[in-house]
Every structure is written in structure tokens, then in C-alpha cells.
Amino acid sequence: MEETETVKTTGYNTHYCVIIPTYNNCKTLQRVIEGVLQHTSNVILVNDGATDATPQILAQYSQLEIINLPENRGKGNALRKGFKHAEGLGYNFAITIDSDGQHFPEDIPVFLNTLQASQNKNIILIGARNMGQADVPKKSSFGNKFSNFWYWFETGIRLTDTQSGFRLYPLKPLGKLNFYTRKFEFEIEVIVKAAWTGTEVRNVPVQISYDADERVSHFRPFKDFTRISILNTWFVIIALFYIKPRDLIRKLKKKGFKRFIVEDFLGNQDSAHKKALSIALGVFIGLSPLWGFHTLVVIFLAIVFKLNKVIAFAFSNVSLPPFIPFVIALSFKAGSLVLGEEFSFSYENLNENFEVIKHLKVYIVGSITLAITAAVTFGLLGFVFLTLFEKKKLQPHG
């Protein structure tokens, strides 16, 4: 076996293969295969129902593992078939490379060297192309920037290239995930879901070639862009409603209140101004009449206004269940004062039959008034305290 076929690290076998999905790329397919074989003989080629000279080319390579699909079902489907087959053969990792000639097989060692140097083997490496290169179509560069932005929004991970098909995947972690897409959007689905379940995702630099005479792209701008947009819309909803709240709650639970105050509140590198605004936002949303949506709204606004998400989320919990009756009572009191309406109720009404719902106008006005007043108060107090704390830290000890 060649030295590059298995990268040995202490206590971990990173036996890998290369998966080549192909569909009607007969002009470049042979060159890609020959290039890959220079680095490893562990090659799985997935013929996604090609109707050109692909079968004749593949007939020359008896040493390859070839999966012939009866009809074209999409790149995502071909990759999923390849992953399943590779895992069944005992491989731990799979490097995927497109057959259209845009990738350079000589960059395979870049992935292997990065994997070997990484302590974390639960990692996806994506080849980062130079999208500013002269021969790269502008629509491809725009599509990549668009995809990078939504990937960051959904996962919090900043990448320079999320669309490159030249990648290294850890097969066992992927085998535990459920995938639903089968076209080009699969390459977005896999890296988002992997990141959500704890897999590290990062870029490595690779070369790129866009030869208009040779390269055949099967990306359909309208259909495939629409599919990707629908997938990203769904992922944004999941991220806002579940993933981001889950991660923040896990972080707070893991650290505990004291450690959170020391590390994320006092020790955080954000300015006192930014922290104070985050406090104000959290308190305002927590006291607002948006019951059931506090977490979603506070995280969304913290992202939009580039505030500290953890601090904003923590202070939005001023309306924890034990405090709800008092928050509602104060809201009605504030509403009565603002509107000049006499209103009284007993806690029996509040807890048993919620009679106060009849006075919704008073409650909404009062809750917004209370939210604004408390947000300004806590925000100003937080700013003063944090400013004094920062000045004290900067004073020389002697």
C-alpha cells in the first residue's frame, strides 16, 4: 500500500478513499481518474446514469470500485451512495472530488496533511477556491458569497467557500445523520447538519481551473438555486427556533451562573457599551408581551444588531415561570397609570381563570411601558457598572 493511502496517527486510523461522482463529464473524467490514482488506489467512482462515453472510459479501470446507477438522480444522491459504500468497505474518511476538471488531484495531500495535524478527527475539510481568479464566472462567485453568509447565520461558522465539491468527510459521524436532499443542495445540508451535531468544519486552500471548453456544469441556475434557497430558509427557521437557543442554554448550564458572570459578562472582550445594550435588549424582550417567542426574538435581534447573544439571552429570562405573575401584575399597574384607567384584579383571577385577558389593551400598553423602563434602567446601570469595572481593571496594581 502506498504511504498516502493510510495516514497513521496515535490511536487513530484515518484510512481514506477518494469518491468521484460523475455524470456526462467524458472530456475530463479520464484526466481526473489518472490524477487521483497518482495518490491512492482507493477510489470509488459513482456513475450517476451517464449517457455519454463514460462507460467506455471506466472499462479501462478494473482496479476502481465502480457504482453504476441506472438513471441520473443528482450529485447528492451519488455522494450518499458513495459514502454508504465507503463505510461498508471500512474506510474512516472520504475525499470527494468533482469529475469536471476544476479540481487538482495533486491537492489531495493538503487534506491529508491537515487531517494528520488536527487533534480533532471529527472534522470536515472543504477546499477553498480562489473565487477572485480571472476565469471564475461572476455568478459562481456571487453564489458562493451568498451561501457563505447563510452558512454563518445558521451555524456561526465563517467559511470562505461553502460550495466547493473538493472535500474530506469523516464517514462515521455522517452515518449517524439523516439526509433528505439528493441534488446539489446536499452539499449544504451535510455541512450544516454536521456542524449542528458537533463536527468541526473548516477550509483548506486548493487550486481551481475553469476551462470553458472542457468543463460541463450540470448546475441549473434557477431550479438548483431555488432548491438551495428553500433549504437555507428551512435551516434558518430551525437555527432560530431550536439550534441557537439550544446552544445558549447548554452553554449557560455547563458554565453555571457564577462562571457565566465571570467569563461571559465581566470577562467578555466586548465593550461596556455593547454589553449594556445587550442587557437592555434582553430585559426589554423578556418583559415584552411576546410570550412563547422571547428566545427566538432576542437571539434574532442580537444577531441583527451584532450584540452579545449570550448576555441578551441570559437577561431575557427576567420572565422565568416563577416571576410571570409578578411581571403581569406590574404590567397591568403600568398600563393603568399610562391609560388613566382604573383596574384591579386578584391573584386568584390571574392564576385560575385569567379574567385579566379581558383587559388586553391595558396589559399590552403596560408591558411595553414596563419593558422600556426596565430596559433603560438595567442598561444604564449595566453601563455604569461595567465602565467602572473596566477602569478598575486598567489601573496599575501596586
Side-chain angles (χ1 to χ4, degrees):
M1 183 178 292
E2 297 175 25
E3 187 179 351
T4 56
E5 289 188 13
T6 302
V7 179
K8 299 255 183 177
T9 59
T10 305
Y12 202 98
N13 184 354
T14 54
H15 192 44
Y16 82 101
C17 68
V18 174
I19 297 175
I20 308 174
T22 188
Y23 173 65
N24 289 358
N25 281 123
C26 62
K27 290 182 179 180
T28 53
L29 178 59
Q30 187 163 5
R31 186 172 77 242
V32 172
I33 294 173
E34 292 290 344
V36 171
L37 287 174
Q38 294 296 312
H39 297 273
T40 180
S41 58
N42 301 335
V43 181
I44 298 173
L45 193 140
V46 186
N47 174 14
D48 191 21
T51 57
D52 60 359
T54 293
Q56 288 76 23
I57 295 172
L58 297 184
Q60 304 173 43
Y61 299 96
S62 59
Q63 71 270 45
L64 303 183
E65 283 281 333
I66 298 176
I67 302 173
N68 287 302
L69 303 180
E71 60 181 23
N72 178 247
R73 296 288 300 277
K75 184 180 182 182
N77 179 68
L79 288 173
R80 288 168 62 178
K81 296 288 187 184
F83 291 155
K84 187 175 181 180
H85 191 72
E87 190 174 9
L89 292 175
Y91 293 110
N92 299 109
F93 293 87
I95 293 176
T96 61
I97 184 170
D98 293 344
S99 63
D100 60 3
Q102 69 165 296
H103 304 141
F104 289 73
E106 50 263 42
D107 282 331
I108 287 175
V110 173
F111 293 92
L112 300 177
N113 293 336
T114 304
L115 177 63
Q116 185 175 28
S118 176
Q119 291 186 345
N120 180 18
K121 303 305 178 190
N122 182 14
I123 186 171
I124 292 176
L125 300 174
I126 303 176
R129 303 161 295 176
N130 179 11
M131 300 306 289
Q133 195 169 299
D135 58 351
V136 176
K138 289 185 178 180
K139 62 180 181 181
S140 296
S141 180
F142 169 78
N144 193 51
K145 289 178 181 177
F146 180 85
S147 179
N148 295 346
F149 170 79
W150 287 116
Y151 185 73
W152 164 78
F153 190 92
E154 292 153 7
T155 67
I157 301 170
R158 292 189 182 276
L159 297 177
T160 58
D161 193 342
T162 53
Q163 292 190 318
S164 171
F166 203 0
R167 304 179 177 190
L168 180 143
Y169 291 100
L171 293 173
K172 290 182 180 178
L174 295 193
K176 299 176 183 178
L177 301 177
N178 293 319
F179 299 112
Y180 300 98
T181 58
R182 297 182 179 277
K183 304 292 185 180
F184 284 102
E185 68 273 18
F186 170 76
E187 290 182 303
I188 296 297
E189 181 185 17
V190 66
I191 59 174
V192 170
K193 287 185 174 179
W196 282 350
T197 53
T199 298
E200 182 182 353
V201 183
R202 57 183 162 117
N203 287 128
V204 292
V206 296
Q207 305 169 77
I208 184 176
S209 172
Y210 275 87
D211 189 330
D213 294 329
E214 284 190 329
R215 185 170 180 262
V216 177
S217 174
H218 301 291
F219 186 86
R220 299 161 300 177
F222 179 76
K223 285 187 177 181
D224 290 314
F225 189 76
T226 299
R227 286 175 178 271
I228 292 172
S229 297
I230 292 172
L231 180 67
N232 276 321
T233 300
W234 175 239
F235 279 162
V236 165
I237 293 171
I238 295 175
L240 288 175
F241 274 95
Y242 175 65
I243 299 297
K244 293 184 183 294
R246 178 204 68 180
D247 291 346
L248 285 173
I249 291 169
R250 284 179 178 176
K251 187 175 184 180
L252 288 172
K253 283 184 175 179
K254 183 179 180 180
K255 290 191 171 185
F257 182 74
K258 183 178 179 180
R259 187 179 166 196
F260 162 73
I261 291 295
V262 173
E263 294 183 3
D264 292 83
F265 187 60
L266 298 177
N268 188 277
Q269 297 303 309
D270 288 337
S271 66
H273 178 257
K274 187 172 182 178
K275 290 177 183 177
L277 287 175
S278 302
I279 293 170
L281 173 65
V283 172
F284 176 79
I285 298 301
L287 296 175
S288 68
L290 300 170
W291 299 103
F293 296 95
H294 286 161
T295 298
L296 169 67
V297 175
V298 78
I299 293 173
F300 175 75
L301 292 177
I303 291 172
V304 170
F305 294 112
K306 298 182 179 178
L307 298 178
N308 188 299
K309 297 186 289 296
V310 176
I311 293 176
F313 170 75
F315 279 86
S316 71
N317 285 285
V318 292
S319 56
L320 284 169
F323 305 138
I324 290 175
F326 301 102
V327 171
I328 294 176
L330 287 171
S331 297
F332 275 108
K333 292 291 185 183
S336 297
L337 289 172
V338 172
L339 296 175
E341 296 183 9
E342 289 293 328
F343 174 74
S344 62
F345 63 91
S346 66
Y347 282 104
E348 287 75 18
N349 291 139
L350 180 63
N351 291 322
E352 293 175 11
N353 54 20
F354 213 59
E355 282 288 315
V356 293
I357 201 70
K358 297 177 181 178
H359 304 273
L360 194 58
K361 178 182 176 183
V362 176
Y363 167 68
I364 291 176
V365 171
S367 66
I368 293 175
T369 302
L370 178 65
I372 293 172
T373 304
V376 172
T377 302
F378 278 88
L380 287 174
L381 289 174
F383 179 73
V384 171
F385 171 77
L386 290 165
T387 301
L388 292 174
F389 179 80
E390 287 182 359
K391 286 181 179 178
K392 187 176 180 181
K393 276 202 311 182
L394 293 174
Q395 288 178 354
H397 297 284

PDB file of all heavy atoms in Angstrom, residues 44-58:
ATOM      1  N   ILE A  44     -13.487   5.150  -5.304  1.00  0.00           N
ATOM      2  CA  ILE A  44     -14.871   4.737  -5.564  1.00  0.00           C
ATOM      3  C   ILE A  44     -15.451   5.728  -6.556  1.00  0.00           C
ATOM      4  O   ILE A  44     -15.515   6.930  -6.280  1.00  0.00           O
ATOM      5  CB  ILE A  44     -15.712   4.729  -4.276  1.00  0.00           C
ATOM      6  CG1 ILE A  44     -15.142   3.728  -3.266  1.00  0.00           C
ATOM      7  CG2 ILE A  44     -17.172   4.402  -4.580  1.00  0.00           C
ATOM      8  CD1 ILE A  44     -15.822   3.777  -1.909  1.00  0.00           C
ATOM      9  N   LEU A  45     -15.838   5.244  -7.718  1.00  0.00           N
ATOM     10  CA  LEU A  45     -16.425   6.118  -8.729  1.00  0.00           C
ATOM     11  C   LEU A  45     -17.911   5.814  -8.851  1.00  0.00           C
ATOM     12  O   LEU A  45     -18.304   4.658  -9.035  1.00  0.00           O
ATOM     13  CB  LEU A  45     -15.733   5.935 -10.076  1.00  0.00           C
ATOM     14  CG  LEU A  45     -16.083   7.034 -11.087  1.00  0.00           C
ATOM     15  CD1 LEU A  45     -14.864   7.445 -11.875  1.00  0.00           C
ATOM     16  CD2 LEU A  45     -17.202   6.614 -12.017  1.00  0.00           C
ATOM     17  N   VAL A  46     -18.724   6.858  -8.740  1.00  0.00           N
ATOM     18  CA  VAL A  46     -20.183   6.697  -8.821  1.00  0.00           C
ATOM     19  C   VAL A  46     -20.650   7.269 -10.152  1.00  0.00           C
ATOM     20  O   VAL A  46     -20.627   8.481 -10.371  1.00  0.00           O
ATOM     21  CB  VAL A  46     -20.902   7.405  -7.655  1.00  0.00           C
ATOM     22  CG1 VAL A  46     -22.401   7.096  -7.701  1.00  0.00           C
ATOM     23  CG2 VAL A  46     -20.312   6.986  -6.312  1.00  0.00           C
ATOM     24  N   ASN A  47     -21.018   6.383 -11.055  1.00  0.00           N
ATOM     25  CA  ASN A  47     -21.531   6.774 -12.364  1.00  0.00           C
ATOM     26  C   ASN A  47     -23.027   7.049 -12.219  1.00  0.00           C
ATOM     27  O   ASN A  47     -23.839   6.129 -12.123  1.00  0.00           O
ATOM     28  CB  ASN A  47     -21.270   5.661 -13.385  1.00  0.00           C
ATOM     29  CG  ASN A  47     -21.906   5.948 -14.727  1.00  0.00           C
ATOM     30  OD1 ASN A  47     -22.327   7.078 -15.014  1.00  0.00           O
ATOM     31  ND2 ASN A  47     -21.990   4.926 -15.572  1.00  0.00           N
ATOM     32  N   ASP A  48     -23.382   8.327 -12.219  1.00  0.00           N
ATOM     33  CA  ASP A  48     -24.758   8.741 -11.943  1.00  0.00           C
ATOM     34  C   ASP A  48     -25.615   8.712 -13.215  1.00  0.00           C
ATOM     35  O   ASP A  48     -26.189   9.726 -13.628  1.00  0.00           O
ATOM     36  CB  ASP A  48     -24.754  10.142 -11.324  1.00  0.00           C
ATOM     37  CG  ASP A  48     -26.111  10.545 -10.768  1.00  0.00           C
ATOM     38  OD1 ASP A  48     -26.940   9.653 -10.494  1.00  0.00           O
ATOM     39  OD2 ASP A  48     -26.336  11.756 -10.604  1.00  0.00           O
ATOM     40  N   GLY A  49     -25.694   7.547 -13.841  1.00  0.00           N
ATOM     41  CA  GLY A  49     -26.544   7.391 -15.019  1.00  0.00           C
ATOM     42  C   GLY A  49     -26.048   8.124 -16.240  1.00  0.00           C
ATOM     43  O   GLY A  49     -26.848   8.669 -17.027  1.00  0.00           O
ATOM     44  N   ALA A  50     -24.737   8.155 -16.462  1.00  0.00           N
ATOM     45  CA  ALA A  50     -24.164   8.884 -17.600  1.00  0.00           C
ATOM     46  C   ALA A  50     -24.639   8.305 -18.924  1.00  0.00           C
ATOM     47  O   ALA A  50     -24.801   7.092 -19.073  1.00  0.00           O
ATOM     48  CB  ALA A  50     -22.639   8.847 -17.527  1.00  0.00           C
ATOM     49  N   THR A  51     -24.846   9.201 -19.898  1.00  0.00           N
ATOM     50  CA  THR A  51     -25.318   8.781 -21.229  1.00  0.00           C
ATOM     51  C   THR A  51     -24.293   9.091 -22.314  1.00  0.00           C
ATOM     52  O   THR A  51     -24.590   8.983 -23.505  1.00  0.00           O
ATOM     53  CB  THR A  51     -26.644   9.489 -21.567  1.00  0.00           C
ATOM     54  OG1 THR A  51     -26.455  10.908 -21.486  1.00  0.00           O
ATOM     55  CG2 THR A  51     -27.751   9.074 -20.612  1.00  0.00           C
ATOM     56  N   ASP A  52     -23.085   9.494 -21.905  1.00  0.00           N
ATOM     57  CA  ASP A  52     -22.035   9.798 -22.890  1.00  0.00           C
ATOM     58  C   ASP A  52     -21.033   8.639 -22.937  1.00  0.00           C
ATOM     59  O   ASP A  52     -21.415   7.483 -22.731  1.00  0.00           O
ATOM     60  CB  ASP A  52     -21.354  11.134 -22.543  1.00  0.00           C
ATOM     61  CG  ASP A  52     -20.694  11.113 -21.163  1.00  0.00           C
ATOM     62  OD1 ASP A  52     -20.783  10.074 -20.477  1.00  0.00           O
ATOM     63  OD2 ASP A  52     -20.084  12.135 -20.780  1.00  0.00           O
ATOM     64  N   ALA A  53     -19.772   8.925 -23.163  1.00  0.00           N
ATOM     65  CA  ALA A  53     -18.747   7.875 -23.298  1.00  0.00           C
ATOM     66  C   ALA A  53     -18.178   7.426 -21.952  1.00  0.00           C
ATOM     67  O   ALA A  53     -17.168   6.700 -21.927  1.00  0.00           O
ATOM     68  CB  ALA A  53     -17.620   8.380 -24.202  1.00  0.00           C
ATOM     69  N   THR A  54     -18.815   7.802 -20.862  1.00  0.00           N
ATOM     70  CA  THR A  54     -18.311   7.434 -19.527  1.00  0.00           C
ATOM     71  C   THR A  54     -18.124   5.925 -19.363  1.00  0.00           C
ATOM     72  O   THR A  54     -17.072   5.490 -18.861  1.00  0.00           O
ATOM     73  CB  THR A  54     -19.260   7.987 -18.435  1.00  0.00           C
ATOM     74  OG1 THR A  54     -19.176   9.416 -18.445  1.00  0.00           O
ATOM     75  CG2 THR A  54     -18.881   7.474 -17.057  1.00  0.00           C
ATOM     76  N   PRO A  55     -19.085   5.065 -19.736  1.00  0.00           N
ATOM     77  CA  PRO A  55     -18.884   3.610 -19.559  1.00  0.00           C
ATOM     78  C   PRO A  55     -17.648   3.085 -20.271  1.00  0.00           C
ATOM     79  O   PRO A  55     -16.941   2.214 -19.736  1.00  0.00           O
ATOM     80  CB  PRO A  55     -20.166   3.005 -20.147  1.00  0.00           C
ATOM     81  CG  PRO A  55     -21.196   4.083 -20.008  1.00  0.00           C
ATOM     82  CD  PRO A  55     -20.443   5.361 -20.244  1.00  0.00           C
ATOM     83  N   GLN A  56     -17.353   3.614 -21.460  1.00  0.00           N
ATOM     84  CA  GLN A  56     -16.177   3.166 -22.205  1.00  0.00           C
ATOM     85  C   GLN A  56     -14.884   3.577 -21.485  1.00  0.00           C
ATOM     86  O   GLN A  56     -13.900   2.818 -21.459  1.00  0.00           O
ATOM     87  CB  GLN A  56     -16.179   3.761 -23.621  1.00  0.00           C
ATOM     88  CG  GLN A  56     -17.220   3.158 -24.570  1.00  0.00           C
ATOM     89  CD  GLN A  56     -18.624   3.664 -24.286  1.00  0.00           C
ATOM     90  OE1 GLN A  56     -18.801   4.723 -23.702  1.00  0.00           O
ATOM     91  NE2 GLN A  56     -19.631   2.888 -24.711  1.00  0.00           N
ATOM     92  N   ILE A  57     -14.876   4.750 -20.902  1.00  0.00           N
ATOM     93  CA  ILE A  57     -13.704   5.220 -20.152  1.00  0.00           C
ATOM     94  C   ILE A  57     -13.500   4.347 -18.914  1.00  0.00           C
ATOM     95  O   ILE A  57     -12.386   3.899 -18.618  1.00  0.00           O
ATOM     96  CB  ILE A  57     -13.866   6.697 -19.752  1.00  0.00           C
ATOM     97  CG1 ILE A  57     -13.886   7.585 -21.006  1.00  0.00           C
ATOM     98  CG2 ILE A  57     -12.765   7.129 -18.785  1.00  0.00           C
ATOM     99  CD1 ILE A  57     -14.240   9.032 -20.734  1.00  0.00           C
ATOM    100  N   LEU A  58     -14.592   4.070 -18.194  1.00  0.00           N
ATOM    101  CA  LEU A  58     -14.495   3.292 -16.946  1.00  0.00           C
ATOM    102  C   LEU A  58     -14.077   1.849 -17.202  1.00  0.00           C
ATOM    103  O   LEU A  58     -13.484   1.210 -16.326  1.00  0.00           O
ATOM    104  CB  LEU A  58     -15.837   3.320 -16.209  1.00  0.00           C
ATOM    105  CG  LEU A  58     -16.319   4.703 -15.735  1.00  0.00           C
ATOM    106  CD1 LEU A  58     -17.607   4.572 -14.947  1.00  0.00           C
ATOM    107  CD2 LEU A  58     -15.245   5.398 -14.888  1.00  0.00           C
TER     108      LEU A  58
END
